[in-house]
Amino acid sequence: MKNQTAITEFILLGLSTDPQVQIFLFFLFLIIYGITILGNIVIILVIRGEATLHTPMFFFLNHLALVDICCSSVTVPKMLENLIGKQKTISRMGCIAQIFFFIHFACAEVYLLTAMAYDRYVAICDPLHYSTIMKKQMCRQLVGGSWVMGVFDALVNTLPLMDLNFCGLNIISHYTCELPAVLSSSCSEKFTNYVLLLAASSIFGLAPFLLTLLSYIYIIVAILKIQSAKGRSKAFSTCSSHVIVVCLFYLSAFFRYMKASSKSLTDLDRVVSIQYLILTPMLNPLIYSLKNKEIKTIIWKRVGRCR
């Protein structure tokens, strides 16, 4: 039992053991992280600094950008440190903290995406009552609820980790402390942990996804009823960026977490995890800025003033 509880740190195997590949990956992910931080900060500053963007849709987008900064900062800096460091380790409590904050921010993002889908549903399916439904108080409650649900999801999945034993095996075949990878490294009975993981994935992941899907079914039906081709095109354009972000995040995350009980972590699992852990926070501001005419116009105006 002493050997089982004596582990104070984990070794993260990462994506490659080749030093040259590690250097390449370091600069690649450093650039991605830089773009993530810069892109999301630009989105936040543009929304907060432009009075015309103080609407529910951009209020949610502002918080989504903040969540993406936090989510990326949970995993990427430590991964960059391990890529160039000799000791590729993380403390046990640091590992649990990383799992807690990633689940917290990821769950908050899921519910923010659901809130954004509901906002588009009201805007397209019930436009006459939009201003009365999507009031500031409602928007704040939806955002606050997203952060609170993230805390609940994180607590449900991380508190049971405190009692896990690792039998002297402190190697995690991943580049970060992701919950499925840590569970697969433990020698304890993990049935309860997997039940909690699947239950939490259903409550905090699948349920919001179904609400988002239902919202877009109603949205698509409403758009198809619009007689004007220009009106249909405008309605689709307001939703397309959100649909792309939802698909990128959910498809990769569901693939990884719904097969969490797999004993071995494959190369495909690591590649898929890169999508929702690292790439999605970078792509979100790019997708929204490229697909949204209002944001593009304001950014170009401000760039023009700086010249």
Side-chain angles (χ1 to χ4, degrees):
M1 288 299 296
K2 288 184 179 180
N3 289 335
Q4 291 178 2
T5 57
I7 289 181
T8 58
E9 65 179 18
F10 295 102
I11 298 172
L12 299 172
L13 294 184
L15 292 168
S16 174
T17 57
D18 188 327
Q20 292 183 340
V21 174
Q22 288 178 351
I23 293 173
F24 169 76
L25 291 175
F26 171 81
F27 285 107
L28 174 63
F29 289 122
L30 180 63
I31 292 170
I32 291 174
Y33 184 60
I35 294 172
T36 300
I37 301 300
L38 180 61
N40 283 291
I41 287 177
V42 168
I43 292 289
I44 292 172
L45 293 178
V46 167
I47 292 173
R48 292 189 176 184
E50 190 66 32
T52 58
L53 298 182
H54 293 174
T55 62
M57 181 178 71
F58 291 106
F59 177 74
F60 294 132
L61 181 56
N62 176 69
H63 281 271
L64 182 66
L66 177 61
V67 168
D68 283 332
I69 290 173
C70 296
C71 194
S72 182
S73 298
V74 169
T75 56
V76 179
K78 185 61 181 178
M79 183 182 71
L80 292 175
E81 178 189 336
N82 287 342
L83 281 171
I84 59 172
K86 291 183 178 179
Q87 292 188 341
K88 307 180 188 303
T89 59
I90 184 171
S91 67
R92 177 167 179 158
M93 290 309 299
C95 186
I96 293 175
Q98 196 175 66
I99 292 172
F100 176 89
F101 284 110
F102 170 72
I103 292 176
H104 170 46
F105 294 128
C107 182
E109 178 157 347
V110 165
Y111 277 89
L112 279 173
L113 292 173
T114 305
M116 294 171 76
Y118 177 69
D119 172 72
R120 291 300 85 203
Y121 162 76
V122 177
I124 293 174
C125 299
D126 196 8
L128 296 178
H129 297 95
Y130 180 78
S131 58
T132 57
I133 295 174
M134 300 305 295
K135 293 180 178 179
K136 284 186 178 180
Q137 184 179 1
M138 169 63 82
C139 295
R140 288 169 181 166
Q141 287 174 347
L142 289 172
V143 168
S146 299
W147 289 98
V148 170
M149 294 301 282
V151 172
F152 283 138
D153 189 13
L155 287 173
V156 166
N157 283 291
T158 53
L159 287 179
L161 294 178
M162 302 291 187
D163 298 325
L164 286 184
N165 295 317
F166 292 88
C167 305
L169 300 174
N170 64 336
I171 297 176
I172 298 176
S173 58
H174 206 355
Y175 55 85
T176 186
C177 278
E178 196 179 13
L179 182 56
V182 173
L183 289 178
S184 64
S185 301
S186 173
C187 62
S188 298
E189 174 55 51
K190 296 164 285 190
F191 177 76
T192 303
N193 298 85
Y194 284 125
V195 169
L196 288 172
L197 176 58
L198 292 175
S201 299
S202 300
I203 296 171
F204 300 105
L206 187 59
F209 171 73
L210 293 177
L211 289 173
T212 303
L213 182 63
L214 184 62
S215 297
Y216 273 99
I217 290 173
Y218 280 107
I219 288 171
I220 292 171
V221 171
I223 290 175
L224 293 176
K225 290 180 180 179
I226 299 174
Q227 295 181 353
S228 168
K230 185 178 180 180
R232 287 196 299 270
S233 176
K234 184 178 180 181
F236 272 120
S237 66
T238 61
C239 302
S240 59
S241 55
H242 185 251
V243 171
I244 293 171
V245 169
V246 169
C247 291
L248 286 174
F249 184 81
Y250 273 110
L251 290 177
S252 55
F254 276 158
F255 174 84
R256 179 70 189 104
Y257 277 81
M258 287 306 177
K259 62 185 292 292
S261 59
S262 176
K263 291 184 179 180
S264 58
L265 191 69
T266 65
D267 290 336
L268 179 60
D269 293 327
R270 296 187 190 91
V271 171
V272 169
S273 68
I274 290 173
Q275 171 60 52
Y276 59 85
L277 285 172
I278 301 172
L279 294 182
T280 296
M282 178 193 71
L283 293 174
N284 283 358
L286 295 176
I287 292 170
Y288 279 110
S289 60
L290 291 174
K291 297 289 291 183
N292 192 287
K293 292 181 180 179
E294 294 165 282
I295 291 182
K296 279 195 296 185
T297 302
I298 293 168
I299 290 175
W300 283 117
K301 280 183 179 179
R302 299 200 172 190
V303 170
R305 289 176 189 171
C306 296
R307 289 181 178 177

Coordinates of all heavy atoms in Angstrom, one line a residue, residues 160-237:
P160 N -13.3 11.8 -7.1 CA -12.9 10.4 -6.9 C -11.5 10.0 -7.3 O -11.0 8.9 -6.9 CB -13.9 9.7 -7.9 CG -15.0 10.6 -8.1 CD -14.4 12.0 -8.0
L161 N -10.8 10.9 -8.0 CA -9.4 10.6 -8.4 C -8.5 10.6 -7.2 O -7.4 10.0 -7.2 CB -8.9 11.7 -9.4 CG -9.6 11.7 -10.8 CD1 -9.0 12.8 -11.7 CD2 -9.4 10.3 -11.5
M162 N -8.9 11.3 -6.1 CA -8.0 11.4 -4.9 C -7.7 10.0 -4.3 O -6.7 9.8 -3.7 CB -8.7 12.3 -3.9 CG -9.0 13.7 -4.4 SD -7.5 14.6 -4.6 CE -8.2 16.3 -5.0
D163 N -8.6 9.1 -4.5 CA -8.5 7.8 -3.9 C -7.9 6.7 -4.8 O -7.7 5.5 -4.4 CB -9.9 7.3 -3.4 CG -10.5 8.2 -2.4 OD1 -9.7 8.7 -1.5 OD2 -11.7 8.4 -2.4
L164 N -7.5 7.1 -6.0 CA -7.0 6.1 -6.9 C -5.5 5.7 -6.6 O -4.8 6.6 -6.1 CB -7.0 6.6 -8.4 CG -8.3 6.7 -9.1 CD1 -8.1 7.2 -10.5 CD2 -9.0 5.4 -9.1
N165 N -5.2 4.5 -6.8 CA -3.8 4.0 -6.6 C -3.2 3.7 -7.9 O -3.9 3.3 -8.9 CB -3.8 2.7 -5.7 CG -4.3 3.0 -4.3 OD1 -3.9 4.0 -3.7 ND2 -5.1 2.1 -3.8
F166 N -1.9 3.8 -8.0 CA -1.2 3.6 -9.3 C -0.1 2.5 -9.2 O 0.6 2.3 -10.2 CB -0.6 4.9 -9.8 CG -1.7 5.9 -10.2 CD1 -2.2 6.8 -9.2 CD2 -2.2 5.9 -11.5 CE1 -3.2 7.7 -9.6 CE2 -3.2 6.8 -11.8 CZ -3.7 7.7 -10.9
C167 N 0.0 1.8 -8.1 CA 0.9 0.6 -8.0 C 2.3 0.9 -8.5 O 2.9 0.0 -9.1 CB 0.2 -0.6 -8.7 SG -1.5 -0.9 -8.2
G168 N 2.8 2.0 -8.3 CA 4.2 2.3 -8.7 C 4.3 2.7 -10.2 O 5.3 3.1 -10.7
L169 N 3.2 2.6 -10.9 CA 3.2 3.0 -12.4 C 2.7 4.4 -12.5 O 1.6 4.8 -12.4 CB 2.2 2.1 -13.1 CG 2.5 0.6 -13.1 CD1 1.4 -0.2 -13.8 CD2 3.8 0.3 -13.7
N170 N 3.7 5.3 -12.8 CA 3.4 6.7 -12.9 C 3.6 7.2 -14.3 O 3.9 8.4 -14.5 CB 4.3 7.5 -11.9 CG 5.8 7.4 -12.3 OD1 6.2 6.5 -12.9 ND2 6.6 8.4 -11.9
I171 N 3.4 6.4 -15.3 CA 3.6 6.8 -16.7 C 2.2 6.9 -17.3 O 1.4 6.0 -17.2 CB 4.4 5.7 -17.5 CG1 5.8 5.6 -16.9 CG2 4.5 6.1 -18.9 CD1 6.7 4.5 -17.5
I172 N 2.0 8.1 -17.9 CA 0.8 8.4 -18.6 C 1.1 8.5 -20.1 O 1.9 9.4 -20.5 CB 0.1 9.7 -18.1 CG1 -0.3 9.5 -16.7 CG2 -1.1 10.0 -19.0 CD1 -0.9 10.7 -16.0
S173 N 0.6 7.7 -20.9 CA 0.9 7.7 -22.4 C 0.1 8.8 -23.1 O -0.7 8.5 -24.0 CB 0.6 6.3 -23.0 OG -0.8 6.0 -22.8
H174 N 0.3 10.0 -22.7 CA -0.4 11.1 -23.3 C 0.5 12.4 -23.1 O 1.5 12.3 -22.4 CB -1.7 11.3 -22.6 CG -2.8 12.0 -23.4 ND1 -2.5 12.5 -24.7 CD2 -4.1 12.3 -23.2 CE1 -3.6 13.0 -25.2 NE2 -4.6 12.9 -24.3
Y175 N 0.2 13.5 -23.8 CA 0.9 14.7 -23.6 C 0.3 15.6 -22.6 O 0.9 16.7 -22.3 CB 1.0 15.4 -24.9 CG -0.3 15.8 -25.6 CD1 -1.0 16.9 -25.2 CD2 -0.8 14.9 -26.6 CE1 -2.2 17.2 -25.8 CE2 -2.0 15.2 -27.1 CZ -2.7 16.3 -26.8 OH -4.0 16.6 -27.4
T176 N -0.8 15.2 -22.0 CA -1.4 16.0 -20.9 C -2.2 15.0 -20.0 O -2.4 13.9 -20.3 CB -2.4 17.0 -21.5 OG1 -2.9 17.8 -20.5 CG2 -3.6 16.3 -22.2
C177 N -2.6 15.6 -18.8 CA -3.3 14.8 -17.8 C -4.8 14.8 -18.2 O -5.5 15.6 -17.7 CB -3.1 15.3 -16.4 SG -1.6 14.7 -15.7
E178 N -5.2 14.0 -19.2 CA -6.6 13.9 -19.5 C -7.2 12.8 -18.8 O -6.6 11.7 -18.5 CB -6.7 13.7 -21.1 CG -8.1 13.9 -21.6 CD -8.2 13.7 -23.1 OE1 -7.3 13.1 -23.7 OE2 -9.2 14.1 -23.6
L179 N -8.4 12.9 -18.4 CA -9.1 12.0 -17.5 C -9.0 10.5 -18.0 O -8.6 9.6 -17.2 CB -10.5 12.4 -17.2 CG -11.3 11.5 -16.2 CD1 -10.6 11.4 -14.9 CD2 -12.7 12.1 -16.0
P180 N -9.4 10.2 -19.2 CA -9.4 8.8 -19.6 C -7.9 8.2 -19.6 O -7.8 7.0 -19.2 CB -9.9 8.9 -21.1 CG -10.7 10.1 -21.1 CD -10.0 11.1 -20.2
A181 N -6.9 9.0 -19.9 CA -5.6 8.6 -19.9 C -5.1 8.3 -18.4 O -4.4 7.3 -18.2 CB -4.6 9.6 -20.5
V182 N -5.5 9.1 -17.5 CA -5.1 8.9 -16.1 C -5.8 7.6 -15.5 O -5.2 6.8 -14.8 CB -5.5 10.1 -15.2 CG1 -5.2 9.8 -13.8 CG2 -4.6 11.3 -15.7
L183 N -7.1 7.5 -15.8 CA -7.8 6.3 -15.4 C -7.2 5.0 -15.9 O -7.2 4.0 -15.2 CB -9.3 6.4 -15.8 CG -10.2 7.5 -15.1 CD1 -11.6 7.5 -15.7 CD2 -10.2 7.2 -13.6
S184 N -6.8 5.0 -17.2 CA -6.3 3.8 -17.8 C -4.9 3.4 -17.1 O -4.5 2.3 -17.2 CB -6.1 4.0 -19.3 OG -5.2 5.0 -19.6
S185 N -4.2 4.4 -16.5 CA -2.9 4.2 -15.9 C -3.1 3.7 -14.4 O -2.1 3.2 -13.8 CB -2.1 5.4 -15.9 OG -1.9 5.9 -17.2
S186 N -4.3 3.7 -13.8 CA -4.5 3.3 -12.5 C -4.7 1.8 -12.3 O -5.3 1.2 -13.2 CB -5.6 4.1 -11.9 OG -5.9 3.6 -10.6
C187 N -4.3 1.3 -11.2 CA -4.5 -0.2 -11.0 C -5.7 -0.4 -10.0 O -6.0 -1.5 -9.6 CB -3.2 -0.8 -10.4 SG -2.8 -0.1 -8.8
S188 N -6.3 0.7 -9.6 CA -7.5 0.6 -8.7 C -8.7 0.1 -9.5 O -8.7 0.1 -10.7 CB -7.8 1.9 -8.0 OG -6.7 2.4 -7.3
E189 N -9.7 -0.3 -8.7 CA -11.0 -0.6 -9.3 C -11.6 0.7 -9.8 O -11.9 1.6 -9.0 CB -11.9 -1.3 -8.3 CG -13.3 -1.6 -8.8 CD -13.4 -2.3 -10.1 OE1 -12.7 -3.4 -10.2 OE2 -14.1 -1.9 -11.0
K190 N -11.9 0.8 -11.1 CA -12.3 2.1 -11.7 C -13.7 2.1 -12.2 O -14.1 3.0 -12.9 CB -11.3 2.4 -12.8 CG -9.9 2.7 -12.4 CD -8.9 2.6 -13.5 CE -8.7 1.2 -14.0 NZ -7.6 1.1 -15.0
F191 N -14.5 1.1 -11.8 CA -15.8 1.0 -12.4 C -16.6 2.2 -12.0 O -17.3 2.8 -12.8 CB -16.5 -0.3 -11.8 CG -18.0 -0.4 -12.2 CD1 -18.3 -0.8 -13.5 CD2 -19.0 -0.1 -11.4 CE1 -19.6 -0.9 -13.9 CE2 -20.3 -0.2 -11.7 CZ -20.6 -0.6 -13.0
T192 N -16.5 2.7 -10.7 CA -17.3 3.9 -10.3 C -16.8 5.1 -11.1 O -17.7 5.9 -11.4 CB -17.0 4.1 -8.8 OG1 -17.5 2.9 -8.1 CG2 -17.8 5.3 -8.3
N193 N -15.5 5.2 -11.3 CA -15.0 6.4 -12.0 C -15.5 6.4 -13.5 O -15.9 7.5 -14.0 CB -13.5 6.3 -12.1 CG -12.8 6.4 -10.7 OD1 -12.7 5.4 -10.0 ND2 -12.5 7.6 -10.3
Y194 N -15.6 5.2 -14.1 CA -16.1 5.2 -15.5 C -17.6 5.4 -15.5 O -18.1 6.1 -16.5 CB -15.8 3.8 -16.1 CG -14.3 3.7 -16.6 CD1 -13.5 2.6 -16.1 CD2 -13.7 4.6 -17.4 CE1 -12.2 2.5 -16.5 CE2 -12.4 4.5 -17.8 CZ -11.7 3.5 -17.3 OH -10.3 3.4 -17.7
V195 N -18.3 5.0 -14.5 CA -19.8 5.2 -14.4 C -20.0 6.7 -14.3 O -20.8 7.3 -15.0 CB -20.4 4.5 -13.3 CG1 -21.8 5.0 -13.0 CG2 -20.4 3.0 -13.6
L196 N -19.2 7.4 -13.4 CA -19.3 8.8 -13.2 C -19.0 9.6 -14.5 O -19.6 10.6 -14.8 CB -18.4 9.3 -12.0 CG -18.9 8.9 -10.6 CD1 -17.8 9.2 -9.6 CD2 -20.2 9.6 -10.3
L197 N -17.9 9.1 -15.2 CA -17.5 9.7 -16.4 C -18.6 9.7 -17.5 O -18.9 10.7 -18.1 CB -16.2 9.1 -16.9 CG -15.7 9.6 -18.2 CD1 -15.4 11.1 -18.2 CD2 -14.4 8.9 -18.6
L198 N -19.1 8.5 -17.7 CA -20.2 8.3 -18.7 C -21.4 9.1 -18.3 O -22.1 9.7 -19.1 CB -20.5 6.8 -18.9 CG -19.4 6.0 -19.5 CD1 -19.8 4.5 -19.5 CD2 -19.1 6.5 -20.9
A199 N -21.8 9.1 -17.0 CA -23.0 9.8 -16.5 C -22.8 11.3 -16.7 O -23.7 12.0 -17.2 CB -23.2 9.5 -15.0
A200 N -21.6 11.8 -16.3 CA -21.3 13.2 -16.5 C -21.2 13.6 -18.0 O -21.7 14.7 -18.3 CB -20.0 13.5 -15.8
S201 N -20.7 12.7 -18.8 CA -20.7 13.0 -20.3 C -22.1 13.1 -20.8 O -22.3 13.9 -21.7 CB -19.9 11.9 -21.0 OG -18.6 11.9 -20.5
S202 N -23.0 12.3 -20.3 CA -24.4 12.3 -20.8 C -25.1 13.6 -20.3 O -25.8 14.3 -21.1 CB -25.1 11.1 -20.3 OG -24.5 9.9 -20.8
I203 N -24.9 13.9 -19.0 CA -25.7 15.0 -18.4 C -25.1 16.3 -18.8 O -25.8 17.3 -19.3 CB -25.6 14.9 -16.9 CG1 -26.4 13.7 -16.4 CG2 -26.3 16.2 -16.2 CD1 -26.2 13.4 -14.9
F204 N -23.7 16.4 -18.8 CA -23.1 17.7 -19.0 C -22.6 17.8 -20.5 O -22.1 18.9 -20.9 CB -21.9 17.9 -18.1 CG -22.3 17.9 -16.7 CD1 -22.0 16.9 -15.8 CD2 -22.9 19.0 -16.1 CE1 -22.3 16.9 -14.5 CE2 -23.2 19.1 -14.8 CZ -23.0 18.0 -13.9
G205 N -22.7 16.8 -21.3 CA -22.3 16.8 -22.7 C -23.3 16.5 -23.6 O -23.7 17.3 -24.6
L206 N -23.9 15.3 -23.5 CA -24.9 14.8 -24.4 C -26.2 15.7 -24.4 O -26.8 16.0 -25.4 CB -25.2 13.4 -24.2 CG -26.1 12.7 -25.2 CD1 -25.5 12.7 -26.6 CD2 -26.4 11.2 -24.8
A207 N -26.7 16.0 -23.2 CA -27.9 16.7 -23.0 C -27.8 18.1 -23.7 O -28.7 18.5 -24.4 CB -28.3 16.9 -21.5
P208 N -26.8 18.9 -23.4 CA -26.6 20.2 -24.1 C -26.5 20.0 -25.6 O -27.1 20.8 -26.4 CB -25.3 20.8 -23.6 CG -25.1 20.1 -22.3 CD -25.7 18.7 -22.4
F209 N -25.9 18.9 -26.1 CA -25.7 18.7 -27.5 C -27.1 18.4 -28.1 O -27.4 19.0 -29.2 CB -24.8 17.5 -27.7 CG -24.8 17.0 -29.2 CD1 -24.2 17.8 -30.2 CD2 -25.5 15.8 -29.6 CE1 -24.2 17.3 -31.5 CE2 -25.5 15.4 -30.9 CZ -24.9 16.2 -31.8
L210 N -28.0 17.7 -27.4 CA -29.3 17.4 -28.0 C -30.1 18.7 -28.0 O -30.9 18.9 -28.9 CB -30.0 16.3 -27.1 CG -29.4 14.9 -27.2 CD1 -30.1 14.0 -26.2 CD2 -29.4 14.4 -28.6
L211 N -30.0 19.5 -27.0 CA -30.7 20.8 -27.0 C -30.2 21.7 -28.1 O -31.0 22.4 -28.8 CB -30.5 21.5 -25.7 CG -31.1 20.9 -24.4 CD1 -30.7 21.7 -23.2 CD2 -32.7 21.0 -24.6
T212 N -28.9 21.7 -28.4 CA -28.3 22.4 -29.5 C -28.9 21.9 -30.8 O -29.3 22.7 -31.7 CB -26.8 22.4 -29.5 OG1 -26.3 22.9 -28.3 CG2 -26.2 23.2 -30.6
L213 N -28.9 20.6 -31.0 CA -29.4 19.9 -32.2 C -30.8 20.2 -32.4 O -31.2 20.6 -33.5 CB -29.2 18.4 -32.1 CG -29.6 17.6 -33.3 CD1 -28.7 17.9 -34.5 CD2 -29.4 16.1 -33.0
L214 N -31.6 20.2 -31.3 CA -33.1 20.5 -31.4 C -33.3 21.9 -31.9 O -34.1 22.2 -32.7 CB -33.7 20.2 -30.1 CG -35.3 20.4 -30.1 CD1 -35.9 19.4 -31.0 CD2 -35.8 20.2 -28.6
S215 N -32.5 22.8 -31.3 CA -32.6 24.3 -31.7 C -32.3 24.4 -33.2 O -33.1 25.2 -33.9 CB -31.6 25.1 -30.9 OG -31.8 25.0 -29.5
Y216 N -31.3 23.7 -33.7 CA -31.0 23.9 -35.1 C -32.0 23.2 -36.0 O -32.1 23.6 -37.2 CB -29.5 23.5 -35.4 CG -28.6 24.7 -35.1 CD1 -27.9 24.8 -33.9 CD2 -28.5 25.7 -36.1 CE1 -27.1 25.9 -33.7 CE2 -27.7 26.8 -35.9 CZ -27.0 26.9 -34.7 OH -26.2 28.0 -34.4
I217 N -32.6 22.2 -35.6 CA -33.7 21.6 -36.4 C -34.8 22.6 -36.6 O -35.3 22.8 -37.7 CB -34.2 20.3 -35.7 CG1 -33.2 19.2 -35.7 CG2 -35.5 19.8 -36.4 CD1 -33.6 17.9 -35.0
Y218 N -35.2 23.2 -35.5 CA -36.3 24.3 -35.6 C -35.8 25.4 -36.5 O -36.5 26.0 -37.2 CB -36.6 24.8 -34.2 CG -37.6 23.9 -33.5 CD1 -37.2 23.1 -32.4 CD2 -38.9 23.8 -33.9 CE1 -38.1 22.3 -31.7 CE2 -39.8 23.0 -33.2 CZ -39.4 22.2 -32.1 OH -40.3 21.4 -31.4
I219 N -34.5 25.8 -36.3 CA -33.9 26.9 -37.1 C -34.0 26.6 -38.6 O -34.4 27.4 -39.4 CB -32.5 27.2 -36.6 CG1 -32.5 27.9 -35.2 CG2 -31.8 28.1 -37.6 CD1 -31.1 28.0 -34.6
I220 N -33.5 25.4 -38.9 CA -33.5 25.0 -40.4 C -34.9 25.0 -40.9 O -35.1 25.4 -42.1 CB -32.8 23.6 -40.5 CG1 -31.3 23.7 -40.2 CG2 -33.0 23.1 -41.9 CD1 -30.6 22.4 -40.1
V221 N -35.8 24.4 -40.2 CA -37.2 24.4 -40.7 C -37.7 25.8 -40.9 O -38.4 26.1 -41.9 CB -38.1 23.7 -39.6 CG1 -39.6 23.8 -40.0 CG2 -37.8 22.2 -39.6
A222 N -37.4 26.7 -40.0 CA -37.9 28.1 -40.1 C -37.2 28.8 -41.3 O -37.8 29.6 -42.0 CB -37.6 28.9 -38.8
I223 N -35.9 28.5 -41.5 CA -35.2 29.2 -42.6 C -35.7 28.7 -43.9 O -35.9 29.5 -44.9 CB -33.7 28.8 -42.5 CG1 -33.1 29.6 -41.3 CG2 -33.0 29.2 -43.8 CD1 -31.6 29.3 -41.1
L224 N -36.1 27.4 -44.0 CA -36.6 26.8 -45.3 C -38.0 27.4 -45.6 O -38.4 27.4 -46.8 CB -36.7 25.3 -45.2 CG -35.3 24.6 -45.1 CD1 -35.5 23.1 -44.9 CD2 -34.5 24.9 -46.4
K225 N -38.7 27.9 -44.6 CA -40.0 28.5 -44.9 C -39.9 30.0 -45.4 O -40.9 30.6 -45.9 CB -40.8 28.5 -43.6 CG -41.3 27.1 -43.2 CD -42.1 27.2 -41.9 CE -42.6 25.8 -41.5 NZ -43.3 25.8 -40.2
I226 N -38.7 30.6 -45.3 CA -38.4 31.9 -45.8 C -38.5 31.9 -47.3 O -37.8 31.2 -48.0 CB -37.1 32.5 -45.3 CG1 -37.1 32.6 -43.8 CG2 -36.9 33.9 -45.9 CD1 -35.7 33.0 -43.2
Q227 N -39.3 32.7 -47.9 CA -39.6 32.7 -49.3 C -38.4 33.4 -50.1 O -38.0 33.0 -51.2 CB -40.9 33.4 -49.7 CG -42.1 32.6 -49.1 CD -43.4 33.3 -49.5 OE1 -43.4 34.4 -50.0 NE2 -44.5 32.7 -49.2
S228 N -37.8 34.4 -49.5 CA -36.8 35.2 -50.1 C -35.4 34.4 -50.1 O -35.0 34.0 -49.0 CB -36.6 36.5 -49.5 OG -35.4 37.2 -49.9
A229 N -34.8 34.3 -51.2 CA -33.5 33.6 -51.3 C -32.5 34.4 -50.5 O -31.6 33.8 -49.8 CB -33.0 33.4 -52.7
K230 N -32.6 35.7 -50.6 CA -31.6 36.6 -49.9 C -31.8 36.4 -48.4 O -30.9 36.4 -47.6 CB -31.9 38.0 -50.3 CG -30.9 39.0 -49.7 CD -31.1 40.4 -50.2 CE -30.1 41.4 -49.6 NZ -30.3 42.8 -50.0
G231 N -33.1 36.3 -47.9 CA -33.4 36.1 -46.5 C -32.9 34.8 -46.0 O -32.4 34.8 -44.9
R232 N -33.0 33.8 -46.8 CA -32.5 32.4 -46.4 C -31.0 32.5 -46.3 O -30.4 31.9 -45.3 CB -32.9 31.4 -47.4 CG -34.4 31.0 -47.3 CD -34.7 29.7 -48.0 NE -34.3 29.7 -49.4 CZ -35.2 30.1 -50.4 NH1 -36.4 30.4 -50.1 NH2 -34.8 30.2 -51.6
S233 N -30.4 33.1 -47.2 CA -28.9 33.2 -47.2 C -28.4 34.0 -46.0 O -27.4 33.6 -45.3 CB -28.4 33.9 -48.5 OG -27.0 34.1 -48.5
K234 N -29.1 35.1 -45.6 CA -28.7 35.9 -44.5 C -28.9 35.1 -43.2 O -28.0 35.1 -42.3 CB -29.5 37.1 -44.4 CG -29.1 38.1 -43.3 CD -29.9 39.4 -43.4 CE -29.5 40.3 -42.2 NZ -30.3 41.6 -42.3
A235 N -30.0 34.3 -43.1 CA -30.3 33.5 -41.9 C -29.3 32.4 -41.7 O -28.8 32.2 -40.6 CB -31.7 33.0 -42.0
F236 N -28.9 31.8 -42.9 CA -27.9 30.7 -42.8 C -26.5 31.3 -42.4 O -25.8 30.6 -41.6 CB -27.8 30.0 -44.1 CG -28.8 28.8 -44.3 CD1 -29.7 28.8 -45.3 CD2 -28.7 27.7 -43.4 CE1 -30.6 27.8 -45.4 CE2 -29.6 26.7 -43.5 CZ -30.5 26.7 -44.6
S237 N -26.2 32.4 -42.9 CA -24.9 33.0 -42.6 C -24.7 33.4 -41.1 O -23.6 33.3 -40.6 CB -24.7 34.3 -43.5 OG -25.6 35.3 -43.1

